[in-house]
């Protein structure tokens, strides 16, 4: 009895506090231009406000991409139409980039359903531990370990995050590349990344250059270029998914590449879907200190100064509009701050409304119960019960959402 009343008493101020986070009056307005004009329609959003926000997030956070012309050559290393018990064709493609007298490589793995009559929609996501880590399929090529980090993840180490068979059974191709192929995920990863090639001879100031997350998002766009050469893949129906640091990346990729038809952020947290203002998990300072090689040098100017930032993460989400957007959280993932992820998903709805689209249907300022899914609007959200991960449970909901748009 004593316990219950104590909990009840504590819940009241907590609820008030949580509402205050979303109503922070330092939160920059999505629909006011830098010149102070109110954005009244989709045209004004697209012509004025969206470019302002894209420019600001490029220089302040994710980096300005150089326009170095890059050549890409595609070589099929392996292909087998009897993968997944005959249900899919497995294809492994080496992409070789050439620019400024340099060369860089990335290896893509795809599973493409065999049963389809025409081109199929595709789910693309970068992976953490190598293509061979996404599956126990023994035919997936084990890469040579780089000299600088000789530890390779065991085969299938991350397979729980990649339900290929289930996606293929639902008519989706799935494609992936290891993030480290574009920027090895370490403080000293730059030299082995694609960036020295991309910035060769560039006059873009160091402080606004892309780092790991920018390079990873660049890599997603190059993966799409490659899939555009594959007749079995319908590149007008691409859903890009990403977990955690790769959720931050999938959002930035969708912001910068209009070919991405649906964007999914799973537990992306700080500098992903989660608002920085009032964040109860990872702060800007913390992320910039632990991962100084993820975002621009300029982003460090905002350490400890969240309320002075001229942007916040609802703006990143709004850049996805009018394309469907899915933000997912997990109930025990306090570091990513699920409530702030949900608030950002709610706030970006203002832009979806300009297009006559349906914002997030959960309107309350508190989190729904774990297990709740809101995927009936054009901005979707769910709160999975459990910890920081991406599981079949999440994929099933993302595919249900995609089914609505991809006509399946
Ligand atoms: C954490 C980091 C988060 C998130 C996560 C992940 O260490 O603080 O921002 O990116 O890693 O990628 O799993």
């Amino acid at each position: 009895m004593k316990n219950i009343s104590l909990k009840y008493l504590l819940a009241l101020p907590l609820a008030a506090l949580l509402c205050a986070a979303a109503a922070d009056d330092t939160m920059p307005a999505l629909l006011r231009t830098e010149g102070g004009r109110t954005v009244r329609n989709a045209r004004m959003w697209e012509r004025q406000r969206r470019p302002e926000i894209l420019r600001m997030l490029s220089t302040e956070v994710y980096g300005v991409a150089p326009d170095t012309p890059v050549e890409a050559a595609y070589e099929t290393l392996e292909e087998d139409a009897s993968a997944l018990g005959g249900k899919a064709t497995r294809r492994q493609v080496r992409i070789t980039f050439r620019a400024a007298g340099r060369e860089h490589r990335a290896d893509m793995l795809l599973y493409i359903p065999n049963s389809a009559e025409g081109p199929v929609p595709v789910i693309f996501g970068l992976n953490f531990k190598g293509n061979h880590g996404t599956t126990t399929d023994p035919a997936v090529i084990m890469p040579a370990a780089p000299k600088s980090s000789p530890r390779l993840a065991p085969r299938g180490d991350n397979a729980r995050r990649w339900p290929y068979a289930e996606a293929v059974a639902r008519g989706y191709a799935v494609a992936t590349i290891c993030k480290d192929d574009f920027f090895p995920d370490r403080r000293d990863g730059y030299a082995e990344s694609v960036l020295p090639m991309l910035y060769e001879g560039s006059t873009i100031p160091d402080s606004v250059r892309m780092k790991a997350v920018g390079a990873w998002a660049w890599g997603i766009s190059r993966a799409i270029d490659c899939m555009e050469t594959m007749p079995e893949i319908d590149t007008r129906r691409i859903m890009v998914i990403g977990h955690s640091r790769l959720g931050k990346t999938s959002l930035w990729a969708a912001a910068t590449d209009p070919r991405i038809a649906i964007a999914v952020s799973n537990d992306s947290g700080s500098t992903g879907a989660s608002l920085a203002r009032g964040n109860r998990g990872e702060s800007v300072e913390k992320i910039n200190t632990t991962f100084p090689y993820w975002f621009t040098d300029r982003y460090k100017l905002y350490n400890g100064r969240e309320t002075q930032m001229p942007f916040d993460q609802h703006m990143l989400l709004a850049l996805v509009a009018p394309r469907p957007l899915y933000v997912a959280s997990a109930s025990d993932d306090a570091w990513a701050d699920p409530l702030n992820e949900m608030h950002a998903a709610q706030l970006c709805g203002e832009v979806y409304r300009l297009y006559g689209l349906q914002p997030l249907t959960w309107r309350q300022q508190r989190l729904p119960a774990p297990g709740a899914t809101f995927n009936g609007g054009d901005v979707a959200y769910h709160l999975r019960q459990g910890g920081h991960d991406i599981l079949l449970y999440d994929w099933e909901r993302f595919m249900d959402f995609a089914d609505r748009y991809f006509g399946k």
Side-chain angles (χ1 to χ4, degrees), residues 128 244-245 248 282 287 291 294 335 388:
F128 278 77
S244 204
R245 66 198 67 185
K248 310 178 207 295
E282 185 173 28
I287 202 166
F291 304 104
W294 279 2
W335 192 235
H388 188 67

Side-chain angles (χ1 to χ4, degrees), residues 241-244 247-248 250-251 263-269 272-274 317 325-331 333 336-342 345 360 367 372-375 379-385 387-391 393-395 397-398 401:
I241 70 172
H243 170 62
S244 204
K248 310 178 207 295
S250 65
L251 290 171
V264 178
S265 147
N266 190 81
D267 303 357
S268 63
S274 198
L317 300 186
L325 165 70
Y326 202 128
V327 173
S329 311
S331 60
D333 188 15
D337 197 345
L339 187 67
N340 264 20
E341 294 182 319
M342 185 202 74
L360 185 57
L367 280 173
T373 297
F374 302 93
N375 59 5
V379 178
Y381 179 81
H382 75 241
L383 181 65
R384 176 173 48 72
Q385 170 97 56
H388 188 67
D389 210 342
I390 180 167
L391 302 170
Y393 178 97
D394 303 298
W395 279 74
R397 277 151 189 78
F398 304 149
F401 186 59

Side-chain angles (χ1 to χ4, degrees), residues 50 77 128 237 260 316 321 343:
R50 189 180 191 281
L77 300 177
F128 278 77
R237 292 186 290 167
I260 295 173
L316 173 64
H343 280 151

